[in-house]
Amino acid sequence: MARLKLLAFIAEKPRRSTDIASFFDHAPRTVTQAIDTLEQTGMLMRLPVPGDRRAKLVEITDAGRGMLE
C-alpha cells in the first residue's frame, strides 16, 4: 500500500527524493530504499535535475502508471 501511495504522489509530477521524504514525513534513507525497489521493478526512474548535478528527479514510468490503474 505504501508503494502505491508513493507511485500516486510521483504520478502527479516528478519529484526529488527529499521532497518525497518531507511530504510523507519519512527518513530520506527509507524513501531511497522504496525508490530503489520501485526502480528495480521498472515502476520509477531517476532523471538528472537540470542545473544540479547532485540531485535526481523521480518520475513514474508507463509500467508504474499501469500499476496504479
Side-chain angles (χ1 to χ4, degrees):
M1 186 61 142
R3 290 184 182 143
L4 287 176
K5 288 180 183 180
L6 178 56
L7 284 173
F9 182 65
I10 295 170
E12 294 174 9
K13 68 178 186 178
R15 316 264 184 170
R16 293 177 190 224
S17 61
T18 54
D19 297 331
I20 297 165
S22 177
F23 180 83
F24 287 105
D25 195 29
H26 288 303
R29 182 69 193 142
T30 302
V31 171
T32 298
Q33 289 173 333
I35 292 169
D36 286 347
T37 300
L38 289 168
E39 186 177 37
Q40 289 169 1
T41 60
M43 303 293 156
L44 299 175
M45 63 181 167
R46 289 180 172 105
L47 303 169
V49 175
D52 188 346
R53 295 183 314 185
R54 297 171 297 151
K56 299 286 185 197
L57 284 177
V58 180
E59 185 174 290
I60 194 167
T61 63
D62 290 340
R65 287 190 193 284
M67 175 66 81
L68 285 176
E69 293 172 4

